[in-house]
Amino acid sequence: MPVTRNPRLIVVEPNGVRRQIELTSTPFRMGRQADCDLVLRDGRISRQHAQIVSEGGRFILEDLGSRHGTYVNEKKAAGRQELHPNDTISFGFANSFQLIFGGEEKRIEDLLERVDTPPPSSSSSRELYHLGVLLEAAGAIYGHMLLEDMLAAVVDAAIRVTGADRGVLLLADETGELRATVAREAGQRTLPPADVNVSRSALKQVADTRRELVVADIGEEQALREQASIVGEALRTLLAMPLERQPAIRSLDSTVVTSRPGLLGILYLDSRRPLAAFTELDRQVLRSLAAEAATVVENARLFAEGRERERLDRELEIASNIQQQLLPKALPKEPHLVAVGRTIACRSVGGDSYDVVDLSDGRRGFLVADVAGKGMPAALLASMLMGSFCATAAGGLPLSELAKSVNRRICDRTDEASYATLFYAVISPCGEVEYVNAGHVPAFLRRSSGELAALAADSFPIGMFDFAEFSSCTAQLEPGDYLVMYSDGVTEAVNPDGEMFGEPRLQEVLAKFHGADAQQLLEEILAAVRAFTAGFAQADDITVVAVRYLGVPAN
């Protein structure tokens, strides 16, 4: 009897991390609730979303009355649907969990179980020989050896199983070209990979079709027997097996797409002798060896990527610390005003920033900027913009000329896709506000009465057009009034249902505020955003700066 594994699910998390879960019992329940067999931490997924049940050897997916439905291969499942190997299960959202239902493929550990109960037939000794080879190969593969040694063990096992004269393992490089990595001949002897001549047409056929090629007698294959590599080596037998990585899942808007598995390489064997006919067991053993070689190669690649990610994470941590140090350690607390500010990056580093500029006659300049994009490129541009703007602002230029000068500087030093919105306001001790809004979300004057006045944009973003002109406007603060500046990460924060926080909700928070402290106002804004998003992942940087005007200072 063939030995099969328990059905399994490959869980692809929103960040791309994969893990595998065996379905040891059913019903297997999936959802957001903590007591589900598979907990999916996404606020858009229902508490008990769906389950998998077993019926007569079939596995059925059942939707449990979820709010947004359950999808199989991009199509909404109508209540109950039978699952087949490599079916993709999703939940109706991009950037959420994806599940791949595992097939019944056999691996080395499955085949080894047959050693205990060999079938009572004349082929038993042959099967036991193959399984003994697999046992040795498994011990070598999973031992603590170098990658090249593990791959050599795979090729040696394949040569022993088939009786081939030599074997080559070719791996795909970054461009997809197949390059010989390990070459061996019978007797576990190493060959220089560069000196081994292989059939390129056979490799191309396997790479294109992703199917094994087994030719027991090349003399009967016209297309192969006339090739130079075949004639030159006097080959009579040729075998090639593809090495594939797991299928990849990506999302296009709200559509989930399962892409064709990537080709890691090819296990190639040949012989100058016609070999005995290949049985299904021979093929099964070779498939298992190819699968294990693919696992070894993929794990090595993932390990290297993990080390690279660790290095990048360390660099991002350093960059994040530097960026935080560039923010003002404290905003002014003076007789005529008190200011507070905070930036929350959606990644380690971000494109939001704020600063304060000391000007003559007791005036203070407050700047909030939002660079297009996220991550390291946005953070670098934000640092350049803030440094350029604050240094130029300290010279006392009129605000329209200040913005124009900085705009030209940014345009000269960046590409067309790099730009930033900003709001800059200068507050005098008597409460006069002069400001320039370069494509930024409107700041708000919050009067002591609760009335709101928007200070909207009337200029292009900085760095978008080198010919852009900028204009400034004025407003007047009275004692007890607030000036609230922020980035669009506040109004565009999204909840689990896909709704945005929006400007009306921000205005409602400002209008209903009854405190008498700038810090309290800032905290209430951020608390309202947190409550609205209900733990849903932050998609953009969030910045808030609040200034409370206290009145003309006494002489």
Side-chain angles (χ1 to χ4, degrees):
M1 294 289 293
V3 179
T4 58
R5 309 174 64 199
N6 288 325
R8 60 201 183 280
L9 288 174
I10 297 172
V11 182
V12 184
E13 299 184 4
N15 60 6
V17 173
R18 291 168 174 257
R19 53 193 172 97
Q20 183 170 288
I21 296 177
E22 287 199 5
L23 278 63
T24 55
S25 62
T26 61
F28 183 87
R29 191 161 295 174
M30 302 168 286
R32 202 172 76 242
Q33 193 162 294
D35 61 355
C36 287
D37 298 291
L38 175 58
V39 180
L40 303 170
R41 301 190 183 282
D42 184 330
R44 299 169 294 180
I45 294 175
S46 298
R47 295 180 181 277
Q48 294 192 14
H49 198 105
Q51 67 180 11
I52 297 174
V53 298
S54 175
E55 295 181 358
R58 300 183 307 151
F59 292 92
I60 310 297
L61 176 68
E62 296 180 343
D63 185 85
L64 298 176
S66 64
R67 181 176 181 182
H68 297 286
T70 308
Y71 293 75
V72 176
N73 299 331
E74 307 169 30
K75 296 181 179 179
K76 193 169 186 179
R80 291 165 52 86
Q81 183 166 333
E82 182 176 357
L83 292 173
H84 301 283
N86 297 321
D87 275 351
T88 299
I89 303 170
S90 56
F91 303 95
F93 305 102
N95 303 319
S96 185
F97 289 88
Q98 310 293 334
L99 312 177
I100 303 173
F101 183 70
E104 299 284 330
E105 295 176 0
K106 301 174 180 62
R107 295 174 55 192
I108 282 182
E109 56 263 42
D110 302 322
L111 293 169
L112 291 178
E113 293 179 11
R114 297 174 64 183
V115 173
D116 296 331
T117 56
S121 69
S122 59
S123 63
S124 295
S125 59
R126 180 173 176 81
E127 291 191 4
L128 286 173
Y129 171 76
H130 283 344
L131 294 170
V133 172
L134 285 175
L135 182 60
E136 291 180 24
I141 292 169
Y142 295 113
H144 298 286
M145 298 193 301
L146 297 173
L147 173 63
E148 186 174 345
D149 293 335
M150 289 188 280
L151 297 179
V154 170
V155 177
D156 288 339
I159 291 174
R160 290 178 60 190
V161 166
T162 60
D165 293 334
R166 62 179 188 171
V168 183
L169 190 64
L170 302 101
L171 298 182
D173 61 16
E174 293 180 356
T175 67
E177 184 177 351
L178 291 167
R179 298 185 181 278
T181 303
V182 175
R184 307 277 280 181
E185 62 180 353
Q188 299 185 359
R189 290 185 290 271
T190 299
L191 298 172
D195 296 343
V196 177
N197 194 16
V198 298
S199 171
R200 288 292 163 183
S201 62
L203 296 181
K204 184 178 186 306
Q205 179 178 331
V206 173
D208 290 344
T209 64
R210 304 293 172 85
R211 294 183 179 180
E212 63 201 50
L213 176 64
V214 179
V215 182
D217 190 350
I218 291 176
E220 299 177 359
E221 298 286 338
Q222 172 116 22
L224 289 174
R225 70 188 183 194
E226 296 177 357
Q227 292 177 20
S229 58
I230 302 294
V231 174
E233 298 291 335
L235 299 179
R236 296 296 302 276
T237 302
L238 186 151
L239 306 94
M241 294 276 174
L243 277 62
E244 293 184 304
R245 60 168 54 100
Q246 290 286 347
I249 289 181
R250 58 193 176 91
S251 62
L252 299 174
D253 296 328
S254 60
T255 302
V256 177
V257 179
T258 303
S259 61
R260 187 183 188 187
L263 183 69
L264 291 172
I266 293 177
L267 176 60
Y268 173 96
L269 302 112
D270 59 27
S271 176
R272 293 185 175 90
R273 298 169 290 110
L275 301 180
F278 289 94
T279 66
E280 181 57 31
L281 176 62
D282 297 328
R283 292 170 182 261
Q284 185 176 323
V285 170
L286 287 176
R287 292 182 196 124
S288 296
L289 288 170
E292 295 305 323
T295 299
V296 168
V297 172
E298 184 75 347
N299 286 344
R301 182 184 66 83
L302 292 173
F303 178 77
E305 289 179 355
R307 293 292 297 271
E308 178 65 12
R309 280 196 297 271
E310 289 178 5
R311 183 185 68 80
L312 291 175
D313 287 344
R314 287 195 297 271
E315 292 181 358
L316 283 174
E317 184 179 358
I318 294 171
S320 178
N321 291 335
I322 293 173
Q323 189 175 37
Q324 289 298 316
Q325 291 169 11
L326 292 175
L327 295 173
K329 291 183 172 57
L331 292 182
K333 293 184 179 179
E334 300 182 347
H336 65 287
L337 61 79
V338 174
V340 293
R342 188 179 304 171
T343 288
I344 305 171
C346 71
R347 300 183 182 176
S348 298
V349 292
D352 277 14
S353 195
Y354 67 92
D355 210 340
V356 60
V357 182
D358 292 332
L359 300 170
S360 60
D361 302 325
R363 295 176 303 147
R364 294 282 191 166
F366 295 92
L367 173 64
V368 173
D370 181 2
V371 172
K374 303 177 185 65
M376 186 67 77
L380 291 172
L381 180 55
S383 298
M384 181 172 68
L385 172 64
M386 299 300 283
S388 176
F389 197 99
C390 292
T392 308
L397 283 175
L399 266 58
S400 57
E401 290 300 316
L402 166 62
K404 189 174 182 179
S405 173
V406 173
N407 178 67
R408 286 176 176 169
R409 184 177 180 85
I410 298 299
C411 286
D412 288 344
R413 288 163 173 77
T414 61
D415 58 34
E416 295 178 354
S418 300
Y419 64 90
T421 67
L422 63 81
F423 183 91
Y424 180 64
V426 175
I427 304 177
S428 69
C430 65
E432 183 180 70
V433 180
E434 184 181 8
Y435 66 91
V436 59
N437 189 329
H440 201 72
V441 290
F444 285 100
L445 290 182
R446 195 273 186 189
R447 304 297 184 184
S448 58
S449 63
E451 181 185 354
L452 299 177
L455 309 182
D458 60 357
S459 302
F460 286 115
I462 297 291
M464 183 171 283
F465 303 111
D466 59 2
F467 57 79
E469 297 288 337
F470 300 86
S471 60
S472 64
C473 301
T474 60
Q476 181 65 45
L477 288 170
E478 302 296 336
D481 290 349
Y482 290 87
L483 173 62
V484 179
M485 299 161 278
Y486 59 97
S487 67
D488 60 9
V490 174
T491 50
E492 294 180 3
V494 177
N495 69 8
D497 293 326
E499 297 177 277
M500 288 197 296
F501 185 73
E503 190 177 302
R505 287 189 177 88
L506 175 59
Q507 292 179 355
E508 184 179 358
V509 174
L510 297 176
K512 292 183 176 180
F513 178 67
H514 297 298
D517 180 82
Q519 184 67 44
Q520 184 182 352
L521 177 56
L522 181 145
E523 297 297 343
E524 288 197 12
I525 293 171
L526 296 179
V529 173
R530 284 195 300 270
F532 175 78
T533 56
F536 192 65
Q538 181 181 336
D540 199 0
D541 307 326
I542 291 175
T543 296
V544 179
V545 173
V547 182
R548 183 168 188 252
Y549 180 63
L550 303 177
V552 179
N555 293 330

